PDB file of all heavy atoms in Angstrom:
ATOM      1  N   ARG A  11      47.623  42.335  58.978  1.00 87.00           N
ATOM      2  CA  ARG A  11      48.158  42.368  57.610  1.00 87.00           C
ATOM      3  C   ARG A  11      48.676  41.016  57.134  1.00 87.00           C
ATOM      4  O   ARG A  11      48.859  40.817  55.932  1.00 87.00           O
ATOM      5  CB  ARG A  11      49.263  43.426  57.498  1.00 87.00           C
ATOM      6  CG  ARG A  11      48.732  44.821  57.727  1.00 87.00           C
ATOM      7  CD  ARG A  11      49.838  45.869  57.674  1.00 87.00           C
ATOM      8  NE  ARG A  11      49.358  47.147  58.161  1.00 87.00           N
ATOM      9  CZ  ARG A  11      50.131  48.192  58.424  1.00 87.00           C
ATOM     10  NH1 ARG A  11      51.449  48.093  58.218  1.00 87.00           N
ATOM     11  NH2 ARG A  11      49.615  49.316  58.874  1.00 87.00           N
ATOM     12  N   ALA A  12      48.950  40.114  58.024  1.00 88.00           N
ATOM     13  CA  ALA A  12      49.316  38.738  57.667  1.00 88.00           C
ATOM     14  C   ALA A  12      50.463  38.668  56.661  1.00 88.00           C
ATOM     15  O   ALA A  12      50.431  37.885  55.713  1.00 88.00           O
ATOM     16  CB  ALA A  12      48.090  37.994  57.127  1.00 88.00           C
ATOM     17  N   GLY A  13      51.467  39.504  56.846  1.00 90.00           N
ATOM     18  CA  GLY A  13      52.640  39.436  55.995  1.00 90.00           C
ATOM     19  C   GLY A  13      52.458  39.994  54.598  1.00 90.00           C
ATOM     20  O   GLY A  13      53.282  39.743  53.707  1.00 90.00           O
ATOM     21  N   LYS A  14      51.418  40.768  54.390  1.00 95.00           N
ATOM     22  CA  LYS A  14      51.144  41.338  53.065  1.00 95.00           C
ATOM     23  C   LYS A  14      51.645  42.786  53.000  1.00 95.00           C
ATOM     24  O   LYS A  14      51.953  43.413  54.014  1.00 95.00           O
ATOM     25  CB  LYS A  14      49.642  41.299  52.775  1.00 95.00           C
ATOM     26  CG  LYS A  14      49.039  39.904  52.851  1.00 95.00           C
ATOM     27  CD  LYS A  14      47.523  39.974  52.752  1.00 95.00           C
ATOM     28  CE  LYS A  14      46.887  38.617  53.002  1.00 95.00           C
ATOM     29  NZ  LYS A  14      45.403  38.691  52.972  1.00 95.00           N
ATOM     30  N   VAL A  15      51.706  43.326  51.793  1.00 96.00           N
ATOM     31  CA  VAL A  15      52.091  44.722  51.590  1.00 96.00           C
ATOM     32  C   VAL A  15      50.894  45.609  51.917  1.00 96.00           C
ATOM     33  O   VAL A  15      49.785  45.403  51.409  1.00 96.00           O
ATOM     34  CB  VAL A  15      52.544  44.964  50.140  1.00 96.00           C
ATOM     35  CG1 VAL A  15      52.846  46.446  49.908  1.00 96.00           C
ATOM     36  CG2 VAL A  15      53.774  44.112  49.819  1.00 96.00           C
ATOM     37  N   PHE A  16      51.113  46.603  52.759  1.00 96.00           N
ATOM     38  CA  PHE A  16      50.054  47.511  53.170  1.00 96.00           C
ATOM     39  C   PHE A  16      49.918  48.640  52.156  1.00 96.00           C
ATOM     40  O   PHE A  16      50.880  49.354  51.869  1.00 96.00           O
ATOM     41  CB  PHE A  16      50.381  48.080  54.558  1.00 96.00           C
ATOM     42  CG  PHE A  16      49.432  49.140  55.038  1.00 96.00           C
ATOM     43  CD1 PHE A  16      48.060  48.995  54.905  1.00 96.00           C
ATOM     44  CD2 PHE A  16      49.921  50.290  55.645  1.00 96.00           C
ATOM     45  CE1 PHE A  16      47.185  49.973  55.359  1.00 96.00           C
ATOM     46  CE2 PHE A  16      49.070  51.269  56.120  1.00 96.00           C
ATOM     47  CZ  PHE A  16      47.691  51.116  55.966  1.00 96.00           C
ATOM     48  N   LEU A  17      48.718  48.802  51.612  1.00 96.00           N
ATOM     49  CA  LEU A  17      48.418  49.907  50.699  1.00 96.00           C
ATOM     50  C   LEU A  17      47.860  51.051  51.540  1.00 96.00           C
ATOM     51  O   LEU A  17      46.675  51.088  51.861  1.00 96.00           O
ATOM     52  CB  LEU A  17      47.398  49.466  49.646  1.00 96.00           C
ATOM     53  CG  LEU A  17      47.737  48.180  48.876  1.00 96.00           C
ATOM     54  CD1 LEU A  17      46.636  47.877  47.862  1.00 96.00           C
ATOM     55  CD2 LEU A  17      49.088  48.302  48.181  1.00 96.00           C
ATOM     56  N   ASP A  18      48.731  51.968  51.903  1.00 95.00           N
ATOM     57  CA  ASP A  18      48.375  53.051  52.818  1.00 95.00           C
ATOM     58  C   ASP A  18      47.711  54.173  52.036  1.00 95.00           C
ATOM     59  O   ASP A  18      48.340  54.843  51.214  1.00 95.00           O
ATOM     60  CB  ASP A  18      49.636  53.553  53.522  1.00 95.00           C
ATOM     61  CG  ASP A  18      49.338  54.592  54.591  1.00 95.00           C
ATOM     62  OD1 ASP A  18      48.172  55.013  54.715  1.00 95.00           O
ATOM     63  OD2 ASP A  18      50.284  54.997  55.305  1.00 95.00           O
ATOM     64  N   SER A  19      46.432  54.388  52.317  1.00 94.00           N
ATOM     65  CA  SER A  19      45.661  55.409  51.608  1.00 94.00           C
ATOM     66  C   SER A  19      45.465  56.668  52.430  1.00 94.00           C
ATOM     67  O   SER A  19      44.596  57.495  52.119  1.00 94.00           O
ATOM     68  CB  SER A  19      44.289  54.834  51.222  1.00 94.00           C
ATOM     69  OG  SER A  19      43.556  54.478  52.402  1.00 94.00           O
ATOM     70  N   THR A  20      46.243  56.848  53.498  1.00 92.00           N
ATOM     71  CA  THR A  20      46.007  57.958  54.422  1.00 92.00           C
ATOM     72  C   THR A  20      46.842  59.197  54.115  1.00 92.00           C
ATOM     73  O   THR A  20      46.772  60.186  54.837  1.00 92.00           O
ATOM     74  CB  THR A  20      46.291  57.523  55.872  1.00 92.00           C
ATOM     75  OG1 THR A  20      47.678  57.183  56.010  1.00 92.00           O
ATOM     76  CG2 THR A  20      45.443  56.327  56.256  1.00 92.00           C
ATOM     77  N   ARG A  21      47.646  59.160  53.047  1.00 88.00           N
ATOM     78  CA  ARG A  21      48.462  60.330  52.702  1.00 88.00           C
ATOM     79  C   ARG A  21      47.611  61.305  51.896  1.00 88.00           C
ATOM     80  O   ARG A  21      47.657  61.339  50.671  1.00 88.00           O
ATOM     81  CB  ARG A  21      49.697  59.910  51.905  1.00 88.00           C
ATOM     82  CG  ARG A  21      50.606  58.921  52.611  1.00 88.00           C
ATOM     83  CD  ARG A  21      51.143  59.497  53.921  1.00 88.00           C
ATOM     84  NE  ARG A  21      52.083  58.600  54.550  1.00 88.00           N
ATOM     85  CZ  ARG A  21      53.405  58.766  54.523  1.00 88.00           C
ATOM     86  NH1 ARG A  21      53.918  59.803  53.901  1.00 88.00           N
ATOM     87  NH2 ARG A  21      54.192  57.905  55.137  1.00 88.00           N
ATOM     88  N   SER A  22      46.830  62.094  52.590  1.00 83.00           N
ATOM     89  CA  SER A  22      45.951  63.038  51.914  1.00 83.00           C
ATOM     90  C   SER A  22      45.715  64.233  52.823  1.00 83.00           C
ATOM     91  O   SER A  22      46.139  64.248  53.986  1.00 83.00           O
ATOM     92  CB  SER A  22      44.610  62.370  51.554  1.00 83.00           C
ATOM     93  OG  SER A  22      43.969  61.886  52.717  1.00 83.00           O
ATOM     94  N   GLY A  23      45.036  65.224  52.302  1.00 75.00           N
ATOM     95  CA  GLY A  23      44.716  66.406  53.103  1.00 75.00           C
ATOM     96  C   GLY A  23      45.962  67.110  53.601  1.00 75.00           C
ATOM     97  O   GLY A  23      46.798  67.563  52.838  1.00 75.00           O
ATOM     98  N   GLY A  24      46.104  67.169  54.930  1.00 74.00           N
ATOM     99  CA  GLY A  24      47.224  67.879  55.528  1.00 74.00           C
ATOM    100  C   GLY A  24      48.480  67.053  55.671  1.00 74.00           C
ATOM    101  O   GLY A  24      49.435  67.482  56.322  1.00 74.00           O
ATOM    102  N   ALA A  25      48.507  65.886  55.066  1.00 86.00           N
ATOM    103  CA  ALA A  25      49.672  65.009  55.202  1.00 86.00           C
ATOM    104  C   ALA A  25      50.849  65.528  54.387  1.00 86.00           C
ATOM    105  O   ALA A  25      50.721  66.423  53.546  1.00 86.00           O
ATOM    106  CB  ALA A  25      49.315  63.597  54.755  1.00 86.00           C
ATOM    107  N   THR A  26      52.014  64.951  54.650  1.00 91.00           N
ATOM    108  CA  THR A  26      53.200  65.203  53.845  1.00 91.00           C
ATOM    109  C   THR A  26      53.743  63.860  53.366  1.00 91.00           C
ATOM    110  O   THR A  26      53.430  62.818  53.928  1.00 91.00           O
ATOM    111  CB  THR A  26      54.299  65.925  54.647  1.00 91.00           C
ATOM    112  OG1 THR A  26      54.752  65.053  55.706  1.00 91.00           O
ATOM    113  CG2 THR A  26      53.791  67.220  55.249  1.00 91.00           C
ATOM    114  N   VAL A  27      54.552  63.913  52.324  1.00 95.00           N
ATOM    115  CA  VAL A  27      55.243  62.725  51.821  1.00 95.00           C
ATOM    116  C   VAL A  27      56.662  63.141  51.487  1.00 95.00           C
ATOM    117  O   VAL A  27      56.876  64.229  50.938  1.00 95.00           O
ATOM    118  CB  VAL A  27      54.551  62.144  50.572  1.00 95.00           C
ATOM    119  CG1 VAL A  27      55.344  60.966  50.020  1.00 95.00           C
ATOM    120  CG2 VAL A  27      53.139  61.715  50.898  1.00 95.00           C
ATOM    121  N   VAL A  28      57.616  62.299  51.823  1.00 97.00           N
ATOM    122  CA  VAL A  28      59.004  62.650  51.545  1.00 97.00           C
ATOM    123  C   VAL A  28      59.185  62.929  50.049  1.00 97.00           C
ATOM    124  O   VAL A  28      58.621  62.244  49.201  1.00 97.00           O
ATOM    125  CB  VAL A  28      59.967  61.549  52.029  1.00 97.00           C
ATOM    126  CG1 VAL A  28      59.887  60.309  51.157  1.00 97.00           C
ATOM    127  CG2 VAL A  28      61.387  62.061  52.118  1.00 97.00           C
ATOM    128  N   ALA A  29      59.938  63.975  49.753  1.00 98.00           N
ATOM    129  CA  ALA A  29      60.088  64.437  48.371  1.00 98.00           C
ATOM    130  C   ALA A  29      60.947  63.491  47.543  1.00 98.00           C
ATOM    131  O   ALA A  29      61.853  62.828  48.066  1.00 98.00           O
ATOM    132  CB  ALA A  29      60.721  65.830  48.357  1.00 98.00           C
ATOM    133  N   ALA A  30      60.676  63.452  46.257  1.00 98.00           N
ATOM    134  CA  ALA A  30      61.605  62.795  45.331  1.00 98.00           C
ATOM    135  C   ALA A  30      62.970  63.447  45.469  1.00 98.00           C
ATOM    136  O   ALA A  30      63.081  64.664  45.586  1.00 98.00           O
ATOM    137  CB  ALA A  30      61.094  62.934  43.901  1.00 98.00           C
ATOM    138  N   TYR A  31      63.993  62.627  45.493  1.00 98.00           N
ATOM    139  CA  TYR A  31      65.403  63.013  45.634  1.00 98.00           C
ATOM    140  C   TYR A  31      65.807  63.336  47.070  1.00 98.00           C
ATOM    141  O   TYR A  31      66.983  63.590  47.324  1.00 98.00           O
ATOM    142  CB  TYR A  31      65.766  64.202  44.711  1.00 98.00           C
ATOM    143  CG  TYR A  31      65.386  63.984  43.278  1.00 98.00           C
ATOM    144  CD1 TYR A  31      64.418  64.784  42.669  1.00 98.00           C
ATOM    145  CD2 TYR A  31      65.973  62.976  42.532  1.00 98.00           C
ATOM    146  CE1 TYR A  31      64.048  64.582  41.343  1.00 98.00           C
ATOM    147  CE2 TYR A  31      65.611  62.767  41.193  1.00 98.00           C
ATOM    148  CZ  TYR A  31      64.644  63.569  40.620  1.00 98.00           C
ATOM    149  OH  TYR A  31      64.276  63.357  39.310  1.00 98.00           O
ATOM    150  N   SER A  32      64.874  63.301  48.009  1.00 98.00           N
ATOM    151  CA  SER A  32      65.247  63.570  49.400  1.00 98.00           C
ATOM    152  C   SER A  32      66.011  62.396  49.991  1.00 98.00           C
ATOM    153  O   SER A  32      65.634  61.241  49.808  1.00 98.00           O
ATOM    154  CB  SER A  32      63.997  63.806  50.255  1.00 98.00           C
ATOM    155  OG  SER A  32      64.343  63.870  51.643  1.00 98.00           O
ATOM    156  N   PRO A  33      67.087  62.671  50.740  1.00 98.00           N
ATOM    157  CA  PRO A  33      67.717  61.605  51.525  1.00 98.00           C
ATOM    158  C   PRO A  33      66.771  61.137  52.630  1.00 98.00           C
ATOM    159  O   PRO A  33      65.809  61.829  52.982  1.00 98.00           O
ATOM    160  CB  PRO A  33      68.957  62.284  52.115  1.00 98.00           C
ATOM    161  CG  PRO A  33      69.162  63.520  51.294  1.00 98.00           C
ATOM    162  CD  PRO A  33      67.807  63.945  50.859  1.00 98.00           C
ATOM    163  N   ARG A  34      67.046  59.975  53.186  1.00 97.00           N
ATOM    164  CA  ARG A  34      66.317  59.465  54.340  1.00 97.00           C
ATOM    165  C   ARG A  34      67.294  59.226  55.479  1.00 97.00           C
ATOM    166  O   ARG A  34      68.457  58.856  55.248  1.00 97.00           O
ATOM    167  CB  ARG A  34      65.587  58.152  53.997  1.00 97.00           C
ATOM    168  CG  ARG A  34      64.586  58.243  52.873  1.00 97.00           C
ATOM    169  CD  ARG A  34      63.482  59.257  53.099  1.00 97.00           C
ATOM    170  NE  ARG A  34      62.714  59.050  54.304  1.00 97.00           N
ATOM    171  CZ  ARG A  34      61.615  58.293  54.390  1.00 97.00           C
ATOM    172  NH1 ARG A  34      61.175  57.654  53.318  1.00 97.00           N
ATOM    173  NH2 ARG A  34      60.963  58.185  55.524  1.00 97.00           N
ATOM    174  N   LEU A  35      66.816  59.401  56.676  1.00 96.00           N
ATOM    175  CA  LEU A  35      67.670  59.275  57.848  1.00 96.00           C
ATOM    176  C   LEU A  35      67.772  57.804  58.229  1.00 96.00           C
ATOM    177  O   LEU A  35      67.149  57.337  59.174  1.00 96.00           O
ATOM    178  CB  LEU A  35      67.107  60.112  59.007  1.00 96.00           C
ATOM    179  CG  LEU A  35      68.101  60.572  60.056  1.00 96.00           C
ATOM    180  CD1 LEU A  35      67.580  61.802  60.794  1.00 96.00           C
ATOM    181  CD2 LEU A  35      68.407  59.473  61.061  1.00 96.00           C
ATOM    182  N   ARG A  36      68.560  57.093  57.448  1.00 95.00           N
ATOM    183  CA  ARG A  36      68.770  55.665  57.639  1.00 95.00           C
ATOM    184  C   ARG A  36      70.220  55.339  57.302  1.00 95.00           C
ATOM    185  O   ARG A  36      70.887  56.118  56.612  1.00 95.00           O
ATOM    186  CB  ARG A  36      67.816  54.859  56.745  1.00 95.00           C
ATOM    187  CG  ARG A  36      66.367  54.906  57.267  1.00 95.00           C
ATOM    188  CD  ARG A  36      65.379  54.449  56.224  1.00 95.00           C
ATOM    189  NE  ARG A  36      64.038  54.350  56.764  1.00 95.00           N
ATOM    190  CZ  ARG A  36      63.251  55.390  57.029  1.00 95.00           C
ATOM    191  NH1 ARG A  36      63.674  56.621  56.797  1.00 95.00           N
ATOM    192  NH2 ARG A  36      62.033  55.219  57.523  1.00 95.00           N
ATOM    193  N   PRO A  37      70.724  54.217  57.791  1.00 94.00           N
ATOM    194  CA  PRO A  37      72.116  53.868  57.490  1.00 94.00           C
ATOM    195  C   PRO A  37      72.413  53.928  55.998  1.00 94.00           C
ATOM    196  O   PRO A  37      71.641  53.427  55.173  1.00 94.00           O
ATOM    197  CB  PRO A  37      72.239  52.442  58.037  1.00 94.00           C
ATOM    198  CG  PRO A  37      71.229  52.379  59.142  1.00 94.00           C
ATOM    199  CD  PRO A  37      70.076  53.212  58.666  1.00 94.00           C
ATOM    200  N   GLY A  38      73.526  54.553  55.657  1.00 94.00           N
ATOM    201  CA  GLY A  38      73.910  54.667  54.259  1.00 94.00           C
ATOM    202  C   GLY A  38      73.270  55.816  53.511  1.00 94.00           C
ATOM    203  O   GLY A  38      73.566  56.047  52.345  1.00 94.00           O
ATOM    204  N   LEU A  39      72.352  56.539  54.167  1.00 96.00           N
ATOM    205  CA  LEU A  39      71.636  57.676  53.568  1.00 96.00           C
ATOM    206  C   LEU A  39      71.043  57.347  52.198  1.00 96.00           C
ATOM    207  O   LEU A  39      71.435  57.892  51.167  1.00 96.00           O
ATOM    208  CB  LEU A  39      72.549  58.898  53.460  1.00 96.00           C
ATOM    209  CG  LEU A  39      72.774  59.678  54.767  1.00 96.00           C
ATOM    210  CD1 LEU A  39      73.564  60.945  54.485  1.00 96.00           C
ATOM    211  CD2 LEU A  39      71.475  60.021  55.456  1.00 96.00           C
ATOM    212  N   PRO A  40      70.060  56.444  52.166  1.00 97.00           N
ATOM    213  CA  PRO A  40      69.351  56.182  50.910  1.00 97.00           C
ATOM    214  C   PRO A  40      68.542  57.408  50.490  1.00 97.00           C
ATOM    215  O   PRO A  40      68.292  58.319  51.283  1.00 97.00           O
ATOM    216  CB  PRO A  40      68.441  55.008  51.258  1.00 97.00           C
ATOM    217  CG  PRO A  40      68.229  55.134  52.735  1.00 97.00           C
ATOM    218  CD  PRO A  40      69.509  55.679  53.288  1.00 97.00           C
ATOM    219  N   VAL A  41      68.123  57.399  49.232  1.00 98.00           N
ATOM    220  CA  VAL A  41      67.414  58.527  48.634  1.00 98.00           C
ATOM    221  C   VAL A  41      66.096  58.025  48.049  1.00 98.00           C
ATOM    222  O   VAL A  41      66.032  56.924  47.493  1.00 98.00           O
ATOM    223  CB  VAL A  41      68.278  59.155  47.523  1.00 98.00           C
ATOM    224  CG1 VAL A  41      67.485  60.170  46.709  1.00 98.00           C
ATOM    225  CG2 VAL A  41      69.515  59.811  48.123  1.00 98.00           C
ATOM    226  N   SER A  42      65.044  58.832  48.183  1.00 98.00           N
ATOM    227  CA  SER A  42      63.788  58.531  47.508  1.00 98.00           C
ATOM    228  C   SER A  42      63.973  58.830  46.024  1.00 98.00           C
ATOM    229  O   SER A  42      64.163  59.988  45.636  1.00 98.00           O
ATOM    230  CB  SER A  42      62.657  59.377  48.090  1.00 98.00           C
ATOM    231  OG  SER A  42      61.430  59.076  47.462  1.00 98.00           O
ATOM    232  N   PHE A  43      63.916  57.780  45.201  1.00 98.00           N
ATOM    233  CA  PHE A  43      64.409  57.906  43.819  1.00 98.00           C
ATOM    234  C   PHE A  43      63.357  57.460  42.809  1.00 98.00           C
ATOM    235  O   PHE A  43      62.749  56.402  42.960  1.00 98.00           O
ATOM    236  CB  PHE A  43      65.662  57.046  43.665  1.00 98.00           C
ATOM    237  CG  PHE A  43      66.521  57.409  42.499  1.00 98.00           C
ATOM    238  CD1 PHE A  43      67.479  58.399  42.596  1.00 98.00           C
ATOM    239  CD2 PHE A  43      66.379  56.747  41.280  1.00 98.00           C
ATOM    240  CE1 PHE A  43      68.283  58.743  41.513  1.00 98.00           C
ATOM    241  CE2 PHE A  43      67.175  57.072  40.196  1.00 98.00           C
ATOM    242  CZ  PHE A  43      68.136  58.078  40.308  1.00 98.00           C
ATOM    243  N   PRO A  44      63.138  58.246  41.747  1.00 98.00           N
ATOM    244  CA  PRO A  44      62.176  57.858  40.704  1.00 98.00           C
ATOM    245  C   PRO A  44      62.634  56.612  39.953  1.00 98.00           C
ATOM    246  O   PRO A  44      63.819  56.463  39.638  1.00 98.00           O
ATOM    247  CB  PRO A  44      62.170  59.076  39.765  1.00 98.00           C
ATOM    248  CG  PRO A  44      62.800  60.184  40.539  1.00 98.00           C
ATOM    249  CD  PRO A  44      63.754  59.552  41.484  1.00 98.00           C
ATOM    250  N   VAL A  45      61.676  55.741  39.667  1.00 98.00           N
ATOM    251  CA  VAL A  45      61.966  54.511  38.927  1.00 98.00           C
ATOM    252  C   VAL A  45      60.875  54.317  37.877  1.00 98.00           C
ATOM    253  O   VAL A  45      59.689  54.528  38.147  1.00 98.00           O
ATOM    254  CB  VAL A  45      62.007  53.285  39.863  1.00 98.00           C
ATOM    255  CG1 VAL A  45      62.319  52.020  39.083  1.00 98.00           C
ATOM    256  CG2 VAL A  45      63.032  53.486  40.974  1.00 98.00           C
ATOM    257  N   ALA A  46      61.257  53.922  36.699  1.00 97.00           N
ATOM    258  CA  ALA A  46      60.260  53.590  35.672  1.00 97.00           C
ATOM    259  C   ALA A  46      59.483  52.352  36.116  1.00 97.00           C
ATOM    260  O   ALA A  46      60.045  51.439  36.733  1.00 97.00           O
ATOM    261  CB  ALA A  46      60.941  53.338  34.333  1.00 97.00           C
TER     262      ALA A  46
END
């Protein structure tokens, strides 16, 4: 990847993605948040 942003196209079919508004198990409990 040479320090670039990875465009992950594998979230399909039987995959899951963390829900909007879901907390994440990380220090400070960040949230997956909608942004314009």
Side-chain angles (χ1 to χ4, degrees):
R11 296 178 192 169
K14 303 172 187 177
V15 176
F16 174 45
L17 308 180
D18 185 354
S19 62
T20 64
R21 302 300 184 103
S22 59
T26 65
V27 176
V28 72
Y31 308 115
S32 171
R34 301 302 303 271
L35 205 157
R36 287 165 173 75
L39 282 186
V41 170
S42 181
F43 199 86
V45 180

